[in-house]
Amino acid sequence: MPTMHVVSLKSTFLLLIFSLLCGLQILYGQTQAGILFKLVDKERAIWEVEVSVEEGQAVVADKFAVYLADEWKAKHREGQSIAGRKIIVSDTILAFHPILPFSEGLTYVATYPGLNTLTFTIPTQAYTPTTVVAIYPNRDTIPENILKMYLHFSAKMSVGKSYVNLCITNGAGDTIPLPFLDLDPELWNENSTRLTLWFDPGRIKRDLVPNQLLGTPLEKGQTYTLHISREWTDAAGHLLDRTFQKSFYVSEADRSTPLPDDWDIHTPTAQSMQPLMLQWEESLDEALLRRAFSVWNKEGQTIAGNIELGQSQMSWSFSPDSPWKKGTYKIRIKSNLEDLAGNNLNRPFDRDLMKNPGETPDTPFYWLSFEVK
Amino acid sequence: MKNTLLLVLFFCGTLLSASHANTSEGSLTDGFITGNPAIKSMNALAFGPEGILFVGDAQAASVIAIQTKDITSAGLKEGINMKKVDEKIAALLGAKVAEIQIVDMAVNPISQYVYLAVRHSNGTAMLLKTDGEKLEHVSMEKVSYSKAALSNPVAEDAKDRRGRSMRVWAISDIAYHDGKVMVSGLSNEEFSSTFRSIAFPFKDKQVHASLEIYHAAHGRYETTSPIKTFMPFDLNGSPHIVASYTCTPLVLFSMNDIKAGEHTKGRTVAELGNRNTPLDILHMQLGDESYFLMNNTSRPVMKIAVSDVAAYKDYLTEPVKGNSETAGVEYTSLPYVNVLQMDKFGDQVLMLQRKADGDLALFTTKKNRL
């Protein structure tokens, strides 16, 4: 009996405390002191973590710390806290914005003395897997001394991981050892959606040690396949949609400079909106083609219009914004335009001085002209 | 075995007249402004005088000089020995180890604090600094800085459908020497590089020198090649640059030979082996002799006597014989493999090395071990 009496007294005491706490919360109408994490930007999936202390107290930025849960556990409830900005929301509320947004799937621990530690995991969002949208050159036959490839992705990719996620196999299925240059920095466009790959130039250049010992990465007459691993994560850390492959046949080395004088010009007629077209006998570099040409009228002004590249980058066409007028026009071509083997308009990639002694031209532009009738 | 090098120089101004830009009184940081320099990428780091850190930002096509205000010695003369650097960085940034990449490393010669340019796989660029055995983040929100745009004289680039240029000059190295910031960059489209020299303090009107490199393999095949890494240094009181290219030859040229609009011949002094890209070059005085130290993607740290380079008078013009994987000036391999970053740390060398057990270690090596 005495025992029951004690229990009853204890329960009454706890009930009293609980009622008092509830009353306080109703009285002040505010969030209870504690730590919570919340989604602050749904579109970009940005989370923040916030600490609230009781009314009448002031929140102290230095006391609030957020850790990777693994670090917290491994270092026995301390270790390296995450760097970030602490923003005073009010006297009693402090928000923490990490330098890097909290990552999907990772678990974190937030601590503040006197409050319960919060362990939280950032939930995984629905996403559209990133794909390889284009590989240039896109033709099936490439020269033995090919210098570059461009890989285009549908979304921003992670940087610094190309070398381990790419390989080339030969017809027997064997992997070609290190065909690409392990380049740091990797050559991405600003948005990290296009990667430029270089075949090892030391192996392509005739007579350099790597070329003499190993030869070119690809051999004439063979068929190869480029494999892009699904494990290559995009910038959000997600795997690619699938593994991508492209096969190609290797033809003879190309050691000649492109010669604009040999190109065909398909001229439009006056008063028409017909496209102007240039055509040549080999594939040229896709990226450089897009900015190699400008069309000039006889007054020396450039003409506005849209460009399109033809199949296998063997032609270029230009549709003007306004109709052509009778008269002479000029096409200006940048001399740094390259073919697939890195030969540009001024010089071949590796010039044989025995066959072509003397200086190479150093002109920034070449010109072609055509008559609109 | 010999090899010829032609340096073709395109000057947009007079480089040499800018070489003593800082002769007036006052601090180099007088013209700096305070704020956020809005750095998009950190591709290369280098320290100048007065604790000024130069950051090469390829995405924003600019070089930013940051006044670190880190100008007192931290008293770390004994050196550094930090283990699991990648795990420590991941803990500091709240990220996975696999998402973190150390892009470049520079030691402040005054304080001997180590600065690391770190990139998350989502592209975020961050600057970290060592504090003893700990790492801390260096906020860019309110810093004293000065910025120079890397202008391109032929900048009529095509835009993608959203109006952005696809072309980037990826900054491969940066260095400060005698009033000039030098930057090497690779194009992500044409196979070429720029080598720029920008007078510091940065002026509104910049003086740029762009340098394109040609070299010939054994006197027969002349090619161009982008610079991967370089280092300015004084050889017998005369300013020189030693540079290595993406196709591995090591080339030496004198800054005094650089004349506006003229083709200058440099010297290829060595080929450093297959499937190998040099990462950093240092210049160290070891006893009576000075040396270049180079770390590489697939070879140990190499030690090359500067006197051998200086005495190597002939171009490499003879074809390689036998099965030699390297040619030109002799070098010694030091017992340090997988050294990803390297810089001077007082009279020691600081290395960031991936050890055989997978640990990423940051440690100093004393002279007698080099």
Side-chain angles (χ1 to χ4, degrees):
Chain A
M1 286 296 287
T3 313
M4 275 185 71
H5 182 67
V6 170
V7 169
S8 170
L9 267 179
K10 196 174 171 183
S11 304
T12 312
F13 180 70
L14 284 174
L15 191 66
L16 185 68
I17 297 288
F18 181 69
S19 308
L20 267 173
L21 283 173
C22 289
L24 274 175
Q25 197 181 349
I26 291 160
L27 188 66
Y28 288 103
Q30 67 148 49
T31 319
Q32 209 172 340
I35 307 173
L36 62 111
F37 81 109
K38 59 184 186 183
L39 190 60
V40 287
D41 183 337
K42 197 175 177 188
E43 202 166 300
R44 294 190 300 149
I46 305 279
W47 296 79
E48 71 166 34
V49 59
E50 209 173 82
V51 61
S52 309
V53 294
E54 284 180 26
E55 196 70 19
Q57 292 184 14
V59 72
V60 181
D62 286 349
K63 291 184 177 176
F64 189 29
V66 183
Y67 302 84
L68 272 177
D70 289 345
E71 170 83 0
W72 169 260
K73 280 182 212 151
K75 303 279 168 64
H76 309 292
R77 299 170 77 80
E78 46 183 53
Q80 175 68 61
S81 62
I82 295 170
R85 280 192 307 151
K86 289 169 184 168
I87 297 152
I88 306 278
V89 180
S90 71
D91 287 348
T92 57
I93 302 176
L94 181 79
F96 175 78
H97 292 215
I99 307 278
L100 281 172
F102 291 122
S103 299
E104 278 183 33
L106 280 184
T107 302
Y108 301 87
V109 172
T111 65
Y112 192 89
L115 296 178
N116 286 334
T117 294
L118 175 74
T119 301
F120 59 99
T121 302
I122 303 300
T124 306
Q125 305 282 315
Y127 66 94
T128 308
T130 300
T131 60
V132 177
V133 290
I135 299 172
Y136 290 103
N138 57 3
R139 60 180 298 157
D140 296 333
T141 301
I142 57 174
E144 185 182 41
N145 58 343
I146 183 170
L147 179 64
K148 274 176 288 177
M149 280 191 167
Y150 298 99
L151 311 182
H152 291 247
F153 297 88
S154 62
K156 188 172 179 173
M157 288 294 289
S158 63
V159 170
K161 296 180 177 173
S162 66
Y163 204 62
V164 292
N165 285 299
L166 285 168
C167 78
I168 290 181
T169 53
N170 62 18
D174 297 329
T175 302
I176 303 297
L178 310 172
F180 298 113
L181 188 69
D182 183 10
L183 197 60
D184 184 22
E186 287 179 341
L187 299 175
W188 290 93
N189 66 337
E190 187 178 335
N191 210 28
S192 303
T193 55
R194 187 192 74 182
L195 177 69
T196 308
L197 282 174
W198 286 353
F199 285 88
D200 186 347
R203 289 179 63 181
I204 299 170
K205 291 178 175 183
R206 288 173 288 179
D207 259 14
L208 283 185
V209 171
N211 173 265
Q212 292 205 331
L213 291 178
L214 302 167
T216 53
L218 307 177
E219 281 177 39
K220 174 174 74 171
Q222 303 291 319
T223 300
Y224 297 89
T225 304
L226 170 72
H227 304 261
I228 302 172
S229 167
R230 189 179 175 233
E231 304 292 315
W232 196 350
T233 49
D234 63 15
H238 301 131
L239 301 182
L240 291 183
D241 186 31
R242 59 183 175 85
T243 294
F244 290 83
Q245 294 177 340
K246 177 175 169 50
S247 293
F248 43 85
Y249 173 80
V250 174
S251 62
E252 266 184 35
D254 175 2
R255 306 203 188 278
S256 322
T257 57
L259 296 171
D261 286 342
D262 291 351
W263 296 349
D264 290 332
I265 307 178
H266 300 266
T267 52
T269 52
Q271 308 308 322
S272 79
M273 301 285 279
Q274 289 167 352
L276 161 73
M277 190 161 91
L278 294 176
Q279 223 171 355
W280 42 80
E281 295 292 317
E282 61 177 334
S283 293
L284 298 180
D285 184 281
E286 184 263 346
L288 291 167
L289 269 180
R290 293 189 185 278
R291 59 183 176 85
F293 302 104
S294 51
V295 183
W296 299 57
N297 63 18
K298 62 183 177 216
E299 286 81 30
Q301 298 152 327
T302 54
I303 311 275
N306 282 319
I307 64 157
E308 269 187 45
L309 302 185
Q311 195 175 10
S312 301
Q313 298 79 55
M314 291 175 70
S315 65
W316 170 90
S317 63
F318 173 85
S319 302
D321 289 349
S322 47
W324 296 102
K325 292 175 184 164
K326 269 190 183 174
T328 306
Y329 287 84
K330 282 183 169 181
I331 305 164
R332 196 187 76 176
I333 312 158
K334 287 185 184 165
S335 59
N336 65 7
L337 176 60
E338 294 172 6
D339 61 22
L340 301 185
N343 304 306
N344 73 22
L345 304 192
N346 278 341
R347 48 150 191 82
F349 182 68
D350 55 349
R351 186 166 66 109
D352 188 337
L353 297 173
M354 307 284 272
K355 290 182 184 165
N356 301 294
E359 295 292 310
T360 50
D362 193 19
T363 176
F365 305 112
Y366 286 75
W367 296 85
L368 293 173
S369 60
F370 63 97
E371 199 75 24
V372 173
K373 293 173 186 166
Chain B
M1 177 193 88
K2 297 179 178 184
N3 201 336
T4 310
L5 177 100
L6 284 171
L7 301 170
V8 185
L9 303 171
F10 300 102
F11 271 66
C12 306
T14 49
L15 164 70
L16 298 173
S17 65
S19 63
H20 294 287
N22 184 40
T23 50
S24 57
E25 293 294 318
S27 167
L28 290 166
T29 56
D30 282 350
F32 279 34
I33 54 171
T34 301
N36 189 334
I39 293 173
K40 289 186 180 172
S41 63
M42 293 188 188
N43 307 91
L45 302 177
F47 268 96
E50 300 181 20
I52 296 168
L53 177 65
F54 295 98
V55 178
D57 179 355
Q59 280 195 18
S62 56
V63 173
I64 302 99
I66 295 168
Q67 183 182 11
T68 60
K69 297 179 181 169
D70 175 12
I71 48 170
T72 49
S73 171
L76 296 169
K77 297 263 189 303
E78 285 302 306
I80 288 180
N81 189 6
M82 194 191 291
K83 295 190 188 320
K84 298 186 177 173
V85 177
D86 46 357
E87 290 179 24
K88 285 186 170 135
I89 293 172
L92 178 67
L93 300 175
K96 297 170 191 160
V97 171
E99 293 170 339
I100 299 296
Q101 192 186 6
I102 299 171
V103 181
D104 203 7
M105 176 181 88
V107 179
N108 184 343
I110 301 172
S111 68
Q112 296 180 349
Y113 277 130
V114 181
Y115 287 72
L116 300 170
V118 171
R119 179 171 52 210
H120 185 261
S121 55
N122 70 9
T124 309
M126 292 152 287
L127 185 66
L128 307 183
K129 176 189 162 189
T130 57
D131 179 8
E133 296 292 297
K134 279 194 94 175
L135 286 161
E136 63 185 51
H137 174 251
V138 182
S139 171
M140 287 292 128
E141 283 191 28
K142 200 176 172 190
V143 291
S144 169
Y145 73 96
S146 176
K147 200 173 197 174
L150 297 177
S151 60
N152 183 350
V154 194
E156 296 166 31
D157 295 351
K159 306 281 196 288
D160 70 6
R161 290 195 187 97
R162 296 191 188 101
R164 290 177 305 232
S165 172
M166 301 282 273
R167 190 189 191 200
V168 171
W169 285 101
I171 293 172
S172 60
D173 206 358
I174 186 168
Y176 176 88
H177 187 72
D178 194 20
K180 295 187 289 285
V181 181
M182 295 171 207
V183 186
S184 61
L186 317 172
S187 168
N188 68 341
E189 294 191 351
E190 64 267 45
F191 187 72
S192 70
S193 62
T194 55
F195 186 82
R196 300 161 198 267
S197 178
I198 308 165
F200 182 79
F202 301 137
K203 301 282 190 297
D204 289 341
K205 200 172 169 65
Q206 286 172 22
V207 179
H208 274 195
S210 295
L211 171 69
E212 197 176 349
I213 311 292
Y214 289 84
H215 71 98
H218 318 119
R220 174 137 189 210
Y221 300 108
E222 182 192 76
T223 70
T224 179
S225 191
I227 290 182
K228 177 66 182 66
T229 183
F230 69 94
M231 193 198 65
F233 75 107
D234 284 322
L235 180 63
N236 304 325
S238 159
H240 278 70
I241 282 179
V242 61
S244 79
Y245 301 137
T246 52
C247 55
T248 75
L250 189 69
V251 171
L252 181 75
F253 58 90
S254 164
M255 293 291 285
N256 292 337
D257 288 345
I258 299 174
K259 301 280 194 309
E262 286 183 18
H263 292 192
T264 308
K265 271 193 176 180
R267 288 188 291 134
T268 294
V269 291
E271 283 195 57
L272 302 168
N274 307 318
R275 301 164 180 172
N276 182 39
T277 309
L279 295 169
D280 297 298
I281 310 179
L282 302 181
H283 182 221
M284 289 289 285
Q285 188 72 33
L286 302 171
D288 296 337
E289 185 71 85
S290 70
Y291 292 91
F292 296 120
L293 299 180
M294 295 177 58
N295 57 322
N296 304 281
T297 52
S298 57
R299 286 178 184 260
V301 173
M302 295 172 179
K303 177 179 160 186
I304 303 169
V306 174
S307 59
D308 285 353
V309 171
Y312 206 87
K313 297 295 183 197
D314 294 323
Y315 304 136
L316 300 170
T317 53
E318 298 299 323
V320 181
K321 291 200 173 66
N323 209 20
S324 166
E325 289 203 353
T326 58
V329 165
E330 292 293 318
Y331 65 85
T332 312
S333 287
L334 298 176
Y336 302 102
V337 291
N338 294 326
V339 175
L340 310 177
Q341 301 285 343
M342 198 168 73
D343 200 3
K344 274 173 137 171
F345 185 95
D347 63 356
Q348 303 181 59
V349 171
L350 181 70
M351 297 183 192
L352 180 73
Q353 185 187 31
R354 178 71 68 188
K355 302 272 190 184
D357 62 1
D359 179 28
L360 186 66
L362 184 68
F363 60 93
T364 42
T365 303
K366 290 199 166 66
K367 269 185 176 182
N368 58 8
R369 299 176 66 93
L370 294 171

